[in-house]
Structure formats: C-alpha cells, structure tokens
Amino acid sequence: MAIHSLTTYPASSLLLPPRKLIKSSFIQCCKTQNESIELSTNGKASFPEKSLQKQPSNNRPPRPRRIILVRHGQSQGNVDESVYTRIADPKIALTEKGKAQAEECGKRIREMIEKDEADDWKVYFYVSPYKRTRETLQNLARAFERSRIAGMREEPRLREQDFGNFQDRERMRAEKAIRMLYGRFFFRFPNGESAADVYDRVTGFRETLRADIDIGRFQPPGEQSPNMNLVIVSHGLTLRVFLMRWYKWTVEQYEKLHNFGNGGMVVMERGFGGRYSLLMHHTEEELKEFGLTDEMLMDQEWQKFARPGELNYDFPMMNSFFTHFKHDDCQ
C-alpha cells in the first residue's frame, strides 16, 4: 500500500503525554579526571570531524530545521515492469506524470518552509545517482531560486536496492513471491541486494550526514542559520531503511512499513530539544497509516523533547522484549 498523505497535514494535538527525560550518563575512559586523550593530527592532514570534538557544543553550527525524505516521481518502471528487462535500472527515466509529481512536491516543500516565516532559509539536496531521482530533483528544484539553494551532492549510497542487472520479468515475480516467504528484510535477490545490504550502505551515509550536520558543511561560508532544510531524494525502500537506521527500528518494525507514493515525502523536523521527530510535522494517523506502531509513536513523542546524545531509558520495546520484567513488578 502506497502512502500519499504524509505531506499535507500539520501535526495535530497529541494524545500521548510527554515522556520523562533522563540525562544520559558518561563513561570515564581516562585514568584520572585530570588526564585527557590527545587526538592524532595524522601528519599534516586536516579533519574537521576531529577538531569538532574539541569544540564546546555551544560553538557547533545549528542543526538543520528539517530532514525531508522525498521518493522519486512516477518512473517508466512504475507503469511498465517490462522496462527493467531492456533498460538498466539506473537509466530508467520519469514519466511526464512523474515530472509533474516532482514539481508539485517542490511546491509543497516551499510552502511548508515559508510557514516558518524565516527570512534566511535555504535548502540543501542529497540525491541518488539514478536517472529518475536526478530528474525528480531537477523538477522539484523549480520551486526554488538560486539564492535559496545552498548546494547539492550526488550520493551513490542512496541508490535503489540492486535487483541484479537486467531483470527477467517472470523470474522477478517468482523471486518476489519467495521474498514474502523468506522475509522482506533479509531476502537477497540473485546477483543483487537484500534490504539488509541496503541497511549497511545507508549506515555509512548516515554517518556522513551526521558529520555534515555537526560541521555545518552545507552552510554557506560564514553563515550559521538554524533555518537550513536538508532534502534527500531517493527511492522508497532506501528511504524506509534510512528511517529504520536513524530511529533504530527493528527488522519486525521495518517489515510492517508501507511504501509512500511517488513524489511523496516524509518530514523529520527538529524538536524542542534538538532531535528530529516525525511527530513534529505528521499526525499520529498519518504515521499509523505508514506503519508505525504505538510503541514507535511513543518513541517519536520522546524524540520531540529529547536532546542529542540522550538515551530513551523508558523505551517501551524493552518491556515487550524482556518479558521477565512483568515478574519483577509482581515481587
């Protein structure tokens, strides 16, 4: 089931109460409190990520206001599966409808940003190198003049799941049927990838993204605006795996998620403590339609108020995973 409604509604009043915040503890790794660990300069090489560790947190660039995940518009392969048998997956283009969907998505993103009533907002794009995602970005970006675009980066780790070069239509149908029996996350297509493989490369991209955020690499020189918006243009499965990795969802939780529609978007917005929560923009109903459970929604509510570096010690999944807890309560 494709989710088309994850883009149009502001977050409603929530039924879930705010979770109690608990400060994370720190492990002392030095022999004494006065000793410290020196960071290697690695010769004369310069690594901003390392020098960042020496900076007080209040000197760090402000975190972007949003991370917006956009699925590409309708492609030739979405309307005719036989295209995959004669055109390489990375070369499959958008349909005219897909281009219109991308342009409309750009307008929705701009309308959402302009509601902030900030004068210095900008957008920075990360995009999969596939033709349909690059065409999506080209049409989406029509909503923004040059002064609003801070930059863009083509990122191969955001590519679609590899299904194994040119695809035989009947064989792929059989493989997808086997995937449903084996499990959507771990099943690997012949000469291709599993969702677990995508998870591994998305993990690498996530670390790059976090470094970019901490350093403010996408900010124009000399600027420290809190109104930067990051837009990631990619593919349905890749974006679901990205969310899984970011929020540490389980395999079981991932397999209950639904794809969102072509040209659709999911918005991770900075909460009151600095972390990103889906509930800052989306309603509970939208997220349930996407496939989030009550436990996942409770964690998103916690994300709204938590600060970077804090851990959710009251994460409800612990109670369902460690079933012996209920016996402790009875003692």
Side-chain angles (χ1 to χ4, degrees), residues 123-127 137 140-141 144 149 151-153 231-233:
V123 289
Y124 186 97
F125 299 103
Y126 297 86
V127 62
L137 176 55
L140 181 154
F144 305 96
I149 299 177
M152 62 85 63
R153 182 188 304 172
V231 181
I232 299 175
V233 183

Side-chain angles (χ1 to χ4, degrees), residues 48-49 52 126 205-218:
E49 290 87 347
L52 177 69
Y126 297 86
F205 168 71
R206 176 182 177 271
E207 296 310 307
T208 298
L209 179 63
R210 289 188 62 183
D212 286 353
I213 290 174
D214 287 341
I215 297 167
R217 198 187 302 273
F218 37 75

Side-chain angles (χ1 to χ4, degrees), residues 33-257:
Q33 292 184 355
N34 295 325
E35 293 181 2
S36 61
I37 298 176
E38 292 186 3
L39 296 174
S40 170
T41 59
N42 195 24
K44 295 183 179 180
S46 175
F47 293 91
E49 290 87 347
K50 289 189 175 183
S51 62
L52 177 69
Q53 298 178 44
K54 301 179 181 179
Q55 300 176 11
S57 59
N58 57 356
N59 288 339
R60 295 185 181 183
R63 306 186 99 203
R65 191 178 186 96
R66 298 179 183 87
I67 302 174
I68 304 167
L69 311 182
V70 175
R71 186 188 176 197
H72 63 79
Q74 184 190 74
S75 72
Q76 296 168 338
N78 292 134
V79 296
D80 180 9
E81 290 184 349
S82 68
V83 169
Y84 294 104
T85 67
R86 58 182 184 273
I87 301 178
D89 197 0
K91 298 180 181 179
I92 292 176
L94 292 183
T95 63
E96 290 303 313
K97 179 179 179 180
K99 294 177 182 178
Q101 288 174 331
E103 192 166 348
E104 178 61 27
C105 182
K107 293 177 181 178
R108 292 199 305 271
I109 292 175
R110 175 154 193 152
E111 290 173 0
M112 174 178 62
I113 294 174
E114 286 183 337
K115 289 180 181 178
D116 300 335
E117 298 184 348
D119 295 329
D120 61 344
W121 64 267
K122 283 183 170 58
V123 289
Y124 186 97
F125 299 103
Y126 297 86
V127 62
S128 158
Y130 279 32
K131 185 174 183 178
R132 56 187 178 272
T133 41
R134 289 188 289 110
E135 289 184 338
T136 296
L137 176 55
Q138 289 170 347
N139 286 275
L140 181 154
R142 294 179 185 275
F144 305 96
E145 57 269 25
R146 179 64 185 88
S147 62
R148 293 298 186 181
I149 299 177
M152 62 85 63
R153 182 188 304 172
E154 185 178 283
E155 176 52 73
R157 289 172 293 184
L158 290 173
R159 68 188 184 274
E160 173 66 291
Q161 178 183 8
D162 189 349
F163 294 101
N165 301 325
F166 292 104
Q167 301 172 22
D168 180 273
R169 191 174 183 181
E170 295 304 318
R171 183 180 179 184
M172 283 301 297
R173 288 179 177 176
E175 294 291 343
K176 289 181 178 180
I178 297 173
R179 178 177 63 171
M180 296 304 296
L181 296 174
Y182 191 90
R184 288 197 300 153
F185 186 75
F186 292 111
F187 179 82
R188 178 180 287 117
F189 287 91
N191 300 315
E193 290 182 305
S194 65
D197 295 322
V198 178
Y199 184 97
D200 292 342
R201 57 176 160 86
V202 164
T203 294
F205 168 71
R206 176 182 177 271
E207 296 310 307
T208 298
L209 179 63
R210 289 188 62 183
D212 286 353
I213 290 174
D214 287 341
I215 297 167
R217 198 187 302 273
F218 37 75
Q219 294 270 15
E223 294 190 16
Q224 295 275 311
S225 172
N227 297 306
M228 178 65 66
N229 295 267
L230 306 185
V231 181
I232 299 175
V233 183
S234 185
H235 310 263
L237 180 139
T238 306
L239 293 175
R240 280 179 282 141
V241 169
F242 176 86
L243 288 167
M244 174 192 182
R245 179 63 184 87
W246 188 279
Y247 291 115
K248 301 176 179 61
W249 293 338
T250 66
V251 171
E252 182 180 2
Q253 289 170 333
Y254 162 81
E255 292 191 337
K256 292 179 180 179
L257 298 177

